[in-house]
């Protein structure tokens, strides 16, 4: 016999989504595309999966799928809806699920929100009034904000944890905690998510350049990550070895004449 929680979850899953929610979501997507110098953000957004889900308080992402509560989405005005779409998109792009590691989830969630909301505020997006964030953390990485935050800081109003664990990789064992390889320190799900997001960030960066977006349209932390990804620095001893190999003569042999 199903439990009360299972019955409630089933009821939520079968609850119809109002047509106005679908229409509002369609208009929000158009609104994202009409924003100037937003190609980087919109490319990230349109390459993720989006679903309605009554069971989440506001919105939630596991790095591959973003779920929205239809009632909460409709409670926002048309400009604030864009911020909701991009907040979850940027949590994915920042790899906030994978970077959390063994840190306190609630404290990490608040640090991640500070970072993402500062990015959106700096670019002129309209944030809902109950979205708390501190501009003192602007330009900081999520790890820096996590260290700087007061240890016993009370949760903000209407706090929700919207960072969900990434799903297991396709064809895997289904156990998100199973590590692949020796000493990797990462689950197969984390490794799959990182590879997907890295590809997506490169694609979004190239799309922004092709669209002629203004310099600085890509947030600084993403730009640093892209530079490391596209132009990795080799250890000095590898570079020196390659130079010596290039200088070595190969037109001789130790065989007898």
């Amino acid at each position: 016999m199903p439990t009360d929680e299972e019955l409630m979850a089933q009821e939520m899953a079968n609850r119809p989504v109002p047509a106005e929610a679908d229409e509002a979501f369609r208009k929000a997507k158009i609104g994202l595309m009409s924003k100037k110098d937003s190609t980087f953000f919109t490319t990230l957004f349109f390459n993720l999966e989006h679903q309605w889900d009554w069971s989440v308080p506001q919105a939630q992402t596991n790095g591959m799928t973003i779920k929205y509560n239809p009632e909460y989405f409709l409670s926002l005005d048309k400009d604030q809806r864009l911020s909701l779409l991009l907040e979850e998109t940027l949590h994915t792009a920042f790899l906030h699920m994978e970077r959390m590691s063994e840190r306190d989830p609630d404290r990490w969630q608040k640090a991640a929100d500070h970072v993402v909301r500062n990015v959106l505020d700096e670019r002129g997006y309209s944030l809902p009034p109950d979205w708390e964030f501190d501009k003192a953390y602007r330009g900081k990485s999520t790890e820096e904000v996590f260290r700087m935050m007061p240890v016993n800081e009370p949760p903000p109003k209407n706090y929700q944890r919207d960072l969900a664990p990434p799903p297991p990789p396709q064809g895997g064992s289904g156990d998100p905690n199973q590590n692949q390889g020796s000493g990797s320190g990462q689950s197969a799900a984390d490794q799959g998510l990182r590879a997907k997001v890295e590809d997506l960030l490169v694609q979004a960066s190239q799309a922004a350049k092709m669209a002629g977006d203004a310099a600085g349209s890509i947030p600084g932390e993403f730009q640093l990550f892209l530079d490391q990804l596209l132009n990795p620095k080799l250890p000095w001893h590898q570079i020196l070895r390659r130079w010596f190999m290039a200088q070595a003569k190969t037109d001789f042999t130790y065989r007898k004449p």
Side-chain angles (χ1 to χ4, degrees), residues 52-195:
W52 295 118
D53 191 332
W54 291 100
S55 66
V56 301
Q58 297 178 5
Q60 188 182 77
T61 179
N62 62 7
M64 297 184 181
T65 301
I66 301 177
K67 299 179 179 181
Y68 309 90
N69 182 298
E71 186 176 15
Y72 178 74
F73 187 80
L74 288 172
S75 73
L76 304 175
D77 66 34
K78 63 182 181 64
D79 293 323
Q80 294 166 356
R81 290 168 187 165
L82 305 188
S83 296
L84 179 64
L85 301 184
L86 289 184
E87 180 180 51
E88 302 306 313
T89 299
L90 291 180
H91 278 317
T92 291
F94 275 116
L95 285 166
H96 279 153
M97 292 69 62
E98 186 240 16
R99 289 165 61 188
M100 179 169 63
S101 186
E102 302 300 322
R103 297 180 177 90
D104 175 74
D106 290 323
R107 184 174 166 82
W108 178 257
Q109 173 73 66
K110 288 184 286 186
D113 286 343
H114 280 301
V115 169
V116 168
R117 291 170 184 177
N118 266 297
V119 169
L120 295 177
D121 179 70
E122 190 175 14
R123 280 155 180 76
Y125 287 89
S126 176
L127 275 58
D130 60 341
W131 282 18
E132 296 184 6
F133 69 101
D134 192 338
K135 292 185 179 181
Y137 298 134
R138 180 164 293 180
K140 306 291 184 183
S141 70
T142 313
E143 286 81 4
E144 288 177 307
V145 175
F146 183 86
R147 291 191 297 268
M148 294 170 63
M149 285 171 51
V151 176
N152 297 319
E153 184 179 65
K157 297 177 183 177
N158 300 325
Y159 168 77
Q160 65 136 1
R161 189 188 299 174
D162 55 359
L163 302 179
Q170 295 181 352
S173 64
D175 180 4
N177 295 316
Q178 181 178 358
N179 288 338
Q180 291 184 348
S182 58
S184 66
Q186 283 187 312
S187 69
D190 286 341
Q191 292 172 352
L193 175 61
R194 172 171 281 272

Side-chain angles (χ1 to χ4, degrees), residues 94 119 123 216-227:
F94 275 116
V119 169
R123 280 155 180 76
S217 61
I218 300 176
E221 188 172 350
F222 288 129
Q223 192 60 63
L224 288 173
F225 179 74
L226 286 165
D227 290 343

Side-chain angles (χ1 to χ4, degrees), residues 226-245:
L226 286 165
D227 290 343
Q228 295 171 359
L229 188 64
L230 299 174
N231 302 295
K233 294 182 178 179
L234 293 175
W236 66 267
H237 52 83
Q238 289 190 21
I239 298 175
L240 186 62
R241 181 175 181 274
R242 290 184 178 182
W243 184 84
F244 275 118
M245 292 295 293

